[in-house]
Amino acid sequence: VLIISDIEEAKQELKEMLSGMFGDASKTVVIEEFLSGIECSVFVLTDGDSYKILPVAKDYKRIGEGDTGLNTGGMGAVSPVSFADDVFMKKVEDRIVIPTIEGLKKDKIVYKGFIFLGLIEVKGEPMVIEYNVRMGDPETEVVMLRIKSDFVSLLEGVATGTLESKLLEIDSRYAVTVMLVSGGYPGDYEKNKEMSGLDKVKDSILFHAGTKLENNKVLTNGGRVIAISSYGETKNEALSLSFKNADVISYDKKYYRKDIGFDLK
Ligand code: GLY
């Protein structure tokens, strides 16, 4: 992939690519519009006919603070997302969600479940980066916290085609999650580090990712170890709870990002 900001340079690179710059791999070239903006994840639950839009979230994929370094499976997430206001979400619904559901129906694809829209906000406009047919991680660890309604009932609605009649009530509070990882992740890291302090965690919800129980001890068992999710009236209030509990949990070479949510109001 080449990211180019100058038309003459683009023409030159294109010529070279088509003349074999990357061998067979550049015999065909796809040109896409460059999108500069900030990403968010929108989750839609559908029974194939009606749909519900779940709380919007933003994840943090890079290992380093300020979104630097290697990509990971996710270092944290925040919901709601300040720029995804009612005006933005109306555009998402009208331009992306409804055409997606209608398109599935038109193509006679019976799809029941989650649709994950990976979006980017470009000057106030939502653009689609990717579709997935699943929830997202670590977005799930904040989205689920904000769903006040009985989630099983919503899933029953999906299975039985009665989603429209189901209530989706959303908690107005912020939910955030901070992922504790093993030192060295996403490169080489060691497992089997004994964890302590889990019983001292207060006012947060722990989602175990890479842990295991052995001889009554909790040990690390992966790169992404545990997600610490918290509520708050503000983003910072929720984050300070997660960070406080991140300090309470100990294991050798623990690492977490202390700037989750840094780019949102
Ligand atoms: N957090 C991004 C994903 O689940 O793909």
Side-chain angles (χ1 to χ4, degrees):
V1 175
L2 301 177
I3 297 174
I4 296 168
S5 48
D6 177 78
I7 185 71
E8 291 312 319
E9 190 190 340
K11 284 182 191 167
Q12 185 57 34
E13 294 287 2
L14 187 57
K15 228 179 261 167
E16 286 180 26
M17 284 172 95
L18 292 171
S19 353
M21 183 180 179
F22 300 121
D24 281 354
S26 64
K27 270 191 179 156
T28 305
V29 176
V30 177
I31 302 173
E32 289 189 332
E33 181 184 0
F34 175 75
L35 300 174
S36 171
I38 181 160
E39 288 178 47
C40 66
S41 308
V42 171
F43 301 96
V44 181
L45 192 58
T46 179
D47 60 5
D49 192 29
S50 66
Y51 63 85
K52 304 272 185 209
I53 300 178
L54 306 182
V56 57
K58 181 175 192 303
D59 71 341
Y60 294 80
K61 297 184 178 77
R62 303 296 191 108
I63 188 70
E65 291 180 3
D67 284 340
T68 55
L70 294 174
N71 259 332
T72 69
M75 296 297 292
V78 171
S79 177
V81 176
S82 47
F83 64 80
D85 55 15
D86 290 349
V87 174
F88 182 83
M89 289 309 293
K90 175 90 172 76
K91 291 178 187 172
V92 171
E93 183 165 13
D94 290 348
R95 296 182 198 169
I96 303 164
V97 177
I98 294 173
T100 299
I101 303 290
E102 292 305 317
L104 286 166
K105 279 197 256 181
K106 194 166 144 259
D107 289 350
K108 302 204 172 7
I109 297 169
V110 180
Y111 181 73
K112 293 168 183 266
F114 295 107
I115 303 174
F116 169 170
L117 306 167
L119 305 181
I120 186 164
E121 185 246 19
V122 183
K123 298 190 182 103
E125 306 302 321
M127 315 282 272
V128 177
I129 300 284
E130 64 173 2
Y131 279 95
N132 292 297
V133 283
R134 56 173 174 82
M135 280 295 292
D137 184 19
E139 290 97 323
T140 304
E141 293 94 299
V142 294
V143 170
M144 290 300 155
L145 263 67
R146 297 195 58 225
I147 298 175
K148 282 169 85 173
S149 321
D150 179 356
F151 197 61
V152 173
S153 170
L154 284 161
L155 295 180
E156 268 172 5
V158 171
T160 58
T162 57
L163 186 61
E164 190 156 27
S165 66
K166 303 288 180 180
L167 178 74
L168 171 62
E169 207 188 338
I170 295 174
D171 197 314
S172 62
R173 287 176 296 173
Y174 270 87
V176 304
T177 199
V178 173
M179 184 65 74
L180 302 192
V181 303
S182 298
Y185 173 81
D188 288 343
Y189 58 86
E190 291 167 19
K191 296 186 199 174
N192 296 312
K193 305 284 185 191
E194 186 174 342
M195 299 179 73
S196 62
L198 292 167
D199 54 337
K200 309 238 160 30
V201 167
K202 226 175 130 231
D203 301 327
S204 288
I205 298 157
L206 301 180
F207 290 92
H208 288 245
T211 65
K212 66 178 174 185
L213 189 63
E214 230 173 63
N215 301 326
N216 268 336
K217 288 180 178 158
V218 182
L219 307 179
T220 64
N221 191 35
R224 293 165 77 240
V225 175
I226 205 161
I228 307 175
S229 297
S230 312
Y231 288 106
E233 291 305 327
T234 63
K235 179 179 57 121
N236 287 341
E237 195 181 299
L239 280 166
S240 51
L241 266 177
S242 283
F243 291 142
K244 198 168 105 195
N245 286 314
D247 287 340
V248 163
I249 299 172
S250 299
Y251 56 88
D252 185 35
K253 300 198 177 68
K254 174 185 78 180
Y255 171 76
Y256 62 95
R257 271 182 64 170
K258 297 176 184 67
D259 70 338
I260 299 303
F262 76 98
D263 51 352
L264 299 175
K265 271 190 222 138

